[in-house]
Amino acid sequence: MKDKRILYVSSEVVPYLPENEVSQMSFDTPKMINDLGGQIRIFMPRYGSINERRHQLHEVIRLSGMNLVINDMDMPLIIKVASIPKERIQVYFIDNDEYFKRKHTFVDEENIMYEDNDERAIFFTKGVVETVKKLNWVPDVIHVQGWLASMLPLYMKKYYKDETIFADTKIVTSVFTKTFDQKLSENMYDKVAFDGFESSDIENLKEATFENIMKNAIDFSDGVIISSENITSDLTNYIETSGKPFLPFTPKEKMSEIYTDFYRNKVL
């Protein structure tokens, strides 16, 4: 993977959030490519639970200051950056006081999903793409990990389709175990439709379940990785019949060879 540029867009990453399947994989995969000589960067949200002093986050003024339109509202974009200790891996944080200052990630103190998680996902996606454009760092592959990042394939393939710098960029989506049972939002379809998508592009979002959000990501990806042993049979069938190159679940000890082969020979 030497000299290949891989952008990892993740909803959770160790060591900034507690270890779980998504956050650990969102560290292990970039580290693997970094160790193999690839050029990698990671983007994640700057949740309020992240201790900025301990992790040495600092704002990047030249990248901040833009407003992103979310459901007809102007929302300020703040970009912060840090490095994972000992790994020489740079992590960019997408921040906005309205969406990410709260101390929990996806649910409130009563374990109820935040009503604006759909807007947070759209903001995160737009924030990532706009920041990468400003950096002028063009990835060969964008690898999406975690459902909060799962709007990126749709937006890259449709909303940003005329951005010539991304003309050759491929998108890979990792699918993990189902993490919520309710709908993400009753109005997600309308909020995404505000950005001018054709109804056929976002049909799955009319019922914004975990499965349907991931199906939408699969639809606009160039490759899919099954990253959990126990994804739903519905998603397994959808992946297998999608016509997209896909990688079955791979144990960690075999990831290096199999993942790099998938990037090189199935996606690029």
Side-chain angles (χ1 to χ4, degrees), residues 92-260:
Y92 289 83
F93 295 83
I94 300 297
D95 198 4
N96 171 273
D97 285 348
E98 181 71 23
Y99 288 137
F100 295 115
K101 191 173 183 178
R102 61 199 75 164
K103 290 297 183 182
H104 299 271
T105 50
F106 310 126
V107 298
D108 63 18
E109 293 83 355
E110 306 297 324
N111 205 36
I112 296 172
M113 295 279 284
Y114 289 124
E115 291 184 359
D116 63 351
N117 273 338
D118 52 351
E119 295 179 18
R120 298 168 88 207
I122 298 168
F123 183 89
F124 179 51
T125 289
K126 288 185 174 181
V128 168
V129 180
E130 295 296 344
T131 303
V132 172
K133 285 165 56 181
K134 277 192 173 184
L135 288 169
N136 198 30
W137 188 84
V138 183
D140 297 294
V141 175
I142 299 176
H143 190 155
V144 175
Q145 296 176 305
W147 64 262
L148 193 76
S150 63
M151 298 306 294
L152 192 137
L154 168 69
Y155 274 78
M156 279 291 293
K157 295 293 187 179
K158 294 293 182 174
Y159 189 81
Y160 291 103
K161 68 180 187 298
D162 296 326
E163 296 286 350
T164 56
I165 65 168
F166 298 123
D168 297 320
T169 299
K170 304 298 183 183
I171 302 174
V172 172
T173 293
S174 282
V175 179
F176 292 88
T177 301
K178 181 179 179 181
T179 53
F180 62 87
D181 293 318
Q182 61 268 60
K183 294 178 187 177
L184 189 62
S185 166
E186 292 290 343
N187 303 312
M188 186 171 187
Y189 176 90
D190 294 332
K191 293 175 183 178
V192 176
F194 177 83
D195 285 325
F197 295 101
E198 295 182 12
S199 58
S200 58
D201 293 333
I202 56 175
E203 184 70 25
N204 278 322
L205 300 181
K206 287 182 176 178
E207 293 286 332
T209 61
F210 177 88
E211 288 88 348
N212 283 348
I213 290 166
M214 296 314 304
K215 286 176 181 178
N216 183 266
I218 292 163
D219 287 343
F220 295 97
S221 295
D222 298 294
V224 181
I225 295 176
I226 298 175
S227 294
S228 299
E229 285 190 85
N230 301 307
I231 69 169
T232 65
S233 58
D234 183 28
L235 277 175
T236 299
N237 181 66
Y238 198 83
I239 292 166
E240 291 176 346
T241 59
S242 67
K244 306 294 176 73
F246 74 93
L247 188 62
F249 176 75
T250 303
K252 183 176 179 178
E253 61 271 15
K254 298 181 179 179
M255 276 175 47
S256 182
E257 180 181 350
I258 293 176
Y259 270 47
T260 52

Side-chain angles (χ1 to χ4, degrees), residues 1-8 30 33-34 36-41 137-141:
M1 294 304 294
K2 189 171 177 59
D3 299 327
K4 292 297 182 185
R5 291 181 170 186
I6 314 292
L7 173 63
Y8 290 91
I33 299 300
N34 193 54
L36 292 171
Q39 300 178 41
I40 66 103
R41 289 183 179 179
W137 188 84
V138 183
D140 297 294
V141 175

Side-chain angles (χ1 to χ4, degrees), residues 59-74:
E59 184 175 349
V60 186
I61 302 299
R62 69 184 179 88
L63 298 175
S64 300
M66 182 187 307
N67 278 358
L68 304 178
V69 178
I70 309 296
N71 197 31
D72 203 24
M73 297 182 295
D74 281 346

